């Protein structure tokens, strides 16, 4: 029995590879590449290997991030054969997609602070319908003023939308409790039961379904599906219906967190589609599909890094909310500059990688961007609905 196989010879250097039994001629097997050092038996070497692997990765990570700062450089070099210096594009994309939206979910929160607790308490404590309507109208007016001051178009800011929904819902419930009629100024929920104060019910009109969904009296049925598939579909519809009944559904934070959780799934599905769009629009460049996929992965890696920076700037702005005004201006300027740089970066990357004239690059860039944005938005919404239907 060799020393390598003997527990008593744990610290002796083996003469044959423990993996493939090839005669060793150095510290690494020339056949399979395994090191002669066994990390199970050599704790100090295990620690050494950990830090060696970390610094090796760190070197590639630094070069990858550095070259990503220059539009197209990483993709051009990788396609030219300089692969060892960079983190593989798929690995980089997977890690960044998880990291970015984890940071986004941790930093982006809307706690509906626009609605003051005192205002809600005033509505709840009102003893007449007139008092409820007065308090409601005053709070809604405050939201409209906040929207004007922020320069937001009505119906765009999710925090303000959620705040208004909450106010109208609480007011409508209180009016019903007082025996009044919420009327047209109440919520959509005011026309339904108290248990559903803000919505009329789940409908699937686009799927050929008519009226309010009900699992017994008006289920969702796809005529060409088997019964078990329609039963599954209605179970999912029931999950969506229950989630929509919860108070959290009217919260902006619920939507933001849901979208953050759904975005990685949408990206995983659509990055190959983005590469296909590049293949179609640059068909005559005779590049392979996988070359376009490399371009797609590195471009998305940059976008994820930029989004991470925006999330962190938003978090920093929250931490420094009481700091001098000029700090807030610097953070806002940096965020705006990043948002402007993102589309410009992608345009420059496309121009440098494919090396076509501006008269060809710009129309292709706009067409690809428009199609892809709509597909990404649709995929994110579908992923979000899938999460709602999950339970």
């Amino acid at each position: 029995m060799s020393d390598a196989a003997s527990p008593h010879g744990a610290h002796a250097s083996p003469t044959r590879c423990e993996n493939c039994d090839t005669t060793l001629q150095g510290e690494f097997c020339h056949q399979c590449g395994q090191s002669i050092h066994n990390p199970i038996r050599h704790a100090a070497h295990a620690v050494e290997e950990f830090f060696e692997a970390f610094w090796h990765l760190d070197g590639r990570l630094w070069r990858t991030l550095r070259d990503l700062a220059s539009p197209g450089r990483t993709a051009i070099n990788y396609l030219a054969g300089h692969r060892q210096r960079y983190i593989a594009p798929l690995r980089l994309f997977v890690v960044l997609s998880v990291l970015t939206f984890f940071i986004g979910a941790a930093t982006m929160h809307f706690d509906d602070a626009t609605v003051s607790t005192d205002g809600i308490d005033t509505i709840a404590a009102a003893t007449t319908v007139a008092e409820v309507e007065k308090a409601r109208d005053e709070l809604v007016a405050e939201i409209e003023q906040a929207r004007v001051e922020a320069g937001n178009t009505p119906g765009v800011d999710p925090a303000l939308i959620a705040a208004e929904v909450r106010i109208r819902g609480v007011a409508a419930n209180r009016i019903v409790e007082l025996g009044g009629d919420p009327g047209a100024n109440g919520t959509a929920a005011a026309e339904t039961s108290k248990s559903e104060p803000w919505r009329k019910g789940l409908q699937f009109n686009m799927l050929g379904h008519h009226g309010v969904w009900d699992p017994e009296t008006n289920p969702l049925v796809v005529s060409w599906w088997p019964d078990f598939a329609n039963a599954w579909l209605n179970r999912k519809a029931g999950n969506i219906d229950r989630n929509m009944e919860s108070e959290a559904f009217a919260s902006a934070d619920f939507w933001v967190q849901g979208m953050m959780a759904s975005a990685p799934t949408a990206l995983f599905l659509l990055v190959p589609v983005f590469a296909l769009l590049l293949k179609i629009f640059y068909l005559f460049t005779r590049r392979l599909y996988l070359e376009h996929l490399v371009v797609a992965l590195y471009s998305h890696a940059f976008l994820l890094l930029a989004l991470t920076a925006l999330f962190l700037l938003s978090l920093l702005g929250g931490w420094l909310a009481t700091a001098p005004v000029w700090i807030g201006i610097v953070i806002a300027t940096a965020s705006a500059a990043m948002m402007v740089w993102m589309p410009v970066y992608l345009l420059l990357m496309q121009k440098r990688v494919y090396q076509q004239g501006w008269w060809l690059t710009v129309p292709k860039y706009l067409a690809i961007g428009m199609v892809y944005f709509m597909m990404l938005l649709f995929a994110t919404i579908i992923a979000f609905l899938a999460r709602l239907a999950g339970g």
Side-chain angles (χ1 to χ4, degrees):
M1 180 181 292
S2 67
D3 288 343
S6 171
H8 302 291
H11 296 288
S13 297
T15 58
R16 302 186 70 85
C17 177
E18 295 177 301
N19 181 55
C20 64
D21 202 38
T22 300
T23 301
L24 293 171
Q25 300 178 4
E27 292 192 352
F28 294 90
C29 175
H30 65 274
Q31 185 67 29
C32 69
Q34 179 168 287
S35 171
I36 67 171
H37 299 288
N38 190 329
I40 298 174
R41 298 173 183 147
H42 301 81
H45 189 73
V47 175
E48 179 185 342
E49 281 190 337
F50 170 78
F51 283 103
E52 181 181 355
F54 174 79
W55 290 117
H56 180 63
L57 173 63
D58 183 67
R60 283 188 296 152
L61 178 63
W62 165 248
R63 286 191 295 271
T64 304
L65 296 180
R66 180 196 63 193
D67 287 0
L68 269 178
S70 177
R73 178 184 294 175
T74 309
I76 292 171
N77 289 342
Y78 190 90
L79 294 175
H82 307 301
R83 297 182 295 274
Q84 184 59 30
R85 69 176 67 175
Y86 299 129
I87 297 175
L90 181 58
R91 181 185 304 174
L92 181 67
F93 168 74
V94 170
V95 172
L96 286 178
S97 61
V98 174
L99 179 64
T100 297
F101 292 105
F102 173 79
I103 293 175
T107 58
M108 301 299 289
H109 289 281
F110 296 93
D111 57 4
D112 297 336
T114 308
V115 185
S116 67
T117 304
D118 291 341
I120 295 297
D121 291 342
T122 300
I123 293 177
T127 57
T128 66
V129 172
E131 290 178 1
V132 173
E133 291 177 342
K134 179 182 178 182
R136 179 198 64 200
D137 293 343
E138 289 176 353
L139 290 174
V140 171
E142 290 179 8
I143 291 176
E144 291 299 331
Q145 182 61 33
R147 182 177 285 130
V148 171
E149 292 176 354
N152 292 321
T153 303
V156 173
D157 192 311
L160 296 178
I161 295 172
E164 185 170 352
V165 168
R166 183 181 175 192
I167 289 172
R168 292 189 181 278
V170 171
N173 284 343
R174 185 57 180 159
I175 290 174
V176 171
E177 289 174 355
L178 294 172
D181 181 4
N185 291 328
T187 62
E191 301 173 9
T192 63
S193 67
K194 180 180 175 182
S195 63
E196 294 179 304
W198 60 274
R199 66 185 187 86
K200 294 182 179 180
L202 198 60
Q203 301 185 42
F204 298 97
N205 295 333
M206 294 181 63
L207 300 178
H209 181 265
H210 300 287
V212 176
W213 174 86
D214 185 272
E216 301 296 333
T217 61
N218 192 20
L220 177 60
V221 177
V222 180
S223 60
W224 50 274
W225 278 20
D227 290 341
F228 75 88
N230 278 312
W232 171 85
L233 185 62
N234 280 277
R235 285 197 301 272
K236 296 301 180 182
N239 290 338
I240 294 176
D241 191 56
R242 284 191 296 274
N243 284 321
M244 289 176 65
E245 287 180 357
S246 67
E247 292 184 6
F249 188 79
S251 168
D253 196 56
F254 177 88
W255 286 83
V256 170
Q257 296 299 312
M259 289 299 180
M260 288 294 176
S262 304
T265 301
L267 284 176
F268 279 124
L269 293 174
L270 287 185
V271 164
V273 177
F274 184 77
L276 181 61
L277 290 174
L278 291 174
K279 175 69 175 176
I280 293 172
F281 277 84
Y282 289 95
L283 185 63
F284 298 106
T285 61
R286 297 185 178 181
R287 288 182 179 268
L288 300 174
Y289 171 77
L290 289 180
E291 293 183 87
H292 297 291
L293 185 59
V294 168
V295 177
L297 289 169
Y298 276 130
S299 62
H300 280 73
F302 164 77
L303 289 177
L304 291 169
L305 286 171
L307 281 175
T308 301
L310 288 174
F311 292 147
L312 293 176
L313 284 171
S314 175
L315 179 63
L316 183 62
W319 285 347
L320 301 178
T322 58
V325 176
W326 67 268
I327 294 180
I329 294 175
V330 170
I331 294 174
T333 302
S335 299
M338 181 61 70
M339 294 182 69
V340 171
W341 175 235
M342 289 165 68
V344 173
Y345 177 100
L346 295 177
L347 175 61
L348 293 175
M349 180 176 182
Q350 191 169 315
K351 173 71 170 62
R352 292 175 181 178
V353 170
Y354 295 103
Q355 298 182 351
Q356 291 187 345
W358 287 109
W359 66 279
L360 280 174
T361 300
V362 172
K364 289 182 179 182
Y365 170 79
L366 294 175
I368 292 172
M370 185 182 305
V371 172
Y372 184 67
F373 176 78
M374 296 304 297
M375 295 176 67
L376 182 59
L377 181 62
F378 179 75
T380 303
I381 293 173
I382 293 299
F384 177 70
L385 291 177
R387 286 178 56 83
L388 279 181

